[in-house]
């Protein structure tokens, strides 16, 4: 039996770090540190399975409203993770790309992101989009504002091209860990026809087996994109419409 092709693009809301830490009587930032470990494991698993694009939600436009010490802990962790993870990602063939509003970030973080992108620009095994200070509403708004500024007509195609994730096809599989079943302002436009899988695992506990479960669930779905089942089957040459 041949294995079905892996989803080309997987998007993940990496949720549950805080609860993972609190359950262990640790500060929330310890959960975020563990979350970085989990991301490293997930990236390697995606490379091994032939996934070509992984897009992860690391910090939302709304996460600024968390307690000051958690926000500064997350910024510090990003700076640390850049220093530690970029050489590994470069060696593993992963290309890094950051998505989000960089204007609100410190110069240190913003230049760290640019350096990480430059250092991995030659890689093509997996494209890792890290959404940082990102929100789906921000993205749609910035895209519309750019078109308006250039006096370009707003169509579905032109708006799509102006979005921050225009360099990749829409996600096939959208995973949220941590038990919540909501989008929380992640890929509002791009998830129009993604298959959703919600996992009760907290992000630090989302391992290779959990990823495989999500991919298996994806393979059991029938993606119809507005068509009927018979049409979709016909496209595979199994039945005629
Ligand atoms: C997700 O984990 C990471 C970020 C939002 C930065 P949380 O910090 O939201 O973890 P929970 O949902 O509180 O457990
Ligand atoms: C979404 O998780 C953002 C990230 C994972 C970075 P949140 O924890 O912020 O989402 P809500 O607040 O539970 O909806
Ligand atoms: Mg959360």
């Amino acid at each position: 039996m041949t294995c079905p092709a892996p989803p080309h693009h997987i998007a993940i809301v990496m949720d549950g770090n805080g609860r993972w830490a609190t359950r262990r009587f640790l500060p929330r930032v310890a959960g975020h540190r563990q979350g970085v470990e989990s991301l490293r494991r997930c990236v390697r698993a995606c490379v091994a399975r032939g996934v070509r694009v992984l897009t992860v939600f690391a910090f939302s436009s709304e996460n600024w409203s968390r307690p000051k010490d958690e926000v500064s802990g997350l910024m510090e962790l990003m700076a640390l993770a850049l220093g530690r993870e970029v050489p590994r990602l470069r060696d593993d063939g992963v290309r890094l790309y950051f998505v989000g509003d960089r204007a609100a970030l410190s110069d240190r973080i913003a230049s760290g992101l640019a350096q990480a992108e430059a250092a991995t620009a030659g890689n093509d095994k997996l494209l890792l989009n890290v959404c940082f200070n990102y929100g789906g509403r921000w993205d749609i708004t910035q895209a519309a504002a750019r078109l308006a500024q250039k006096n370009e007509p707003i169509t579905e195609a032109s708006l799509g091209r102006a979005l921050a994730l225009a360099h990749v096809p829409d996600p096939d599989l959208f995973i949220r860990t941590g038990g919540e079943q909501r989008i929380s302002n992640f890929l509002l436009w791009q998830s129009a026809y993604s298959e959703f899988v919600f996992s009760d695992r907290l992000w630090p506990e989302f391992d290779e087996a959990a990823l495989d479960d999500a991919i298996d669930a994806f393979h059991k779905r029938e993606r119809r994109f507005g068509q009927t089942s018979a049409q979709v089957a016909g496209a595979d040459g199994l039945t005629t419409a």
Side-chain angles (χ1 to χ4, degrees):
M1 204 180 87
T2 53
C3 278
H8 181 89
H9 182 178
I10 298 180
I12 309 184
V13 178
M14 308 183 291
D15 196 25
N17 295 345
R19 278 165 285 167
W20 182 90
T22 305
R23 283 176 198 176
R24 286 162 179 76
F25 306 102
L26 295 168
R28 288 177 60 88
V29 75
H32 297 311
R33 269 199 296 274
Q34 201 60 35
V36 177
E37 304 291 319
S38 192
L39 178 57
R40 186 190 311 133
R41 177 173 58 196
C42 184
V43 167
R44 291 203 167 142
C46 284
V47 171
R49 283 153 186 76
V51 173
R52 301 311 307 270
V53 184
L54 176 65
T55 301
V56 295
F57 206 4
F59 190 84
S60 78
S61 316
E62 290 75 31
N63 288 148
W64 292 108
S65 62
R66 292 192 175 194
K68 261 204 180 97
D69 62 337
E70 181 165 349
V71 172
S72 58
L74 281 162
M75 294 299 147
E76 199 48 44
L77 185 59
M78 175 51 104
L80 255 170
L82 284 170
R84 216 176 27 212
E85 303 298 329
V86 170
R88 289 183 186 155
L89 292 167
R90 194 184 47 218
D91 294 348
D92 288 347
V94 177
R95 179 171 191 175
L96 259 170
Y97 192 84
F98 292 92
V99 183
D101 184 3
R102 298 190 194 194
L105 303 177
S106 70
D107 291 347
R108 177 178 168 228
I109 302 266
S111 67
L113 303 187
Q115 278 167 23
E117 287 176 341
T120 58
N123 285 344
D124 63 0
K125 265 199 189 148
L126 174 83
L127 174 60
L128 174 60
N129 295 308
V130 178
C131 297
F132 195 75
N133 194 21
Y134 170 89
R137 290 177 177 176
W138 162 80
D139 194 12
I140 294 168
T141 308
Q142 69 78 26
R146 280 205 288 148
L147 293 181
Q149 202 180 23
K150 290 189 283 181
N151 247 332
E152 264 189 56
I154 295 183
T155 64
E156 211 174 293
S158 68
L159 195 68
R161 278 194 302 271
L163 291 170
L165 273 163
H167 59 292
V168 287
D170 290 344
D172 303 289
L173 170 59
F174 181 121
I175 300 171
R176 181 172 184 141
T177 65
E180 315 294 354
Q181 302 196 355
R182 55 177 173 256
I183 298 185
S184 299
N185 201 14
F186 198 30
L187 308 169
L188 297 183
W189 176 282
Q190 297 85 350
S191 63
Y193 274 102
S194 302
E195 295 297 330
F196 283 75
V197 171
F198 297 103
S199 168
D200 286 333
R201 294 273 186 115
L202 302 174
W203 174 247
E205 293 167 343
F206 191 82
D207 58 12
E208 289 94 340
L211 177 68
D212 286 334
D213 286 347
I215 293 176
D216 286 348
F218 169 80
H219 282 132
K220 292 195 179 99
R221 308 274 176 88
E222 180 184 63
R223 304 185 75 190
R224 290 195 288 277
F225 299 98
Q227 294 192 317
T228 65
S229 260
Q231 284 178 298
V232 173
D236 289 338
L238 299 175
T239 60
T240 47

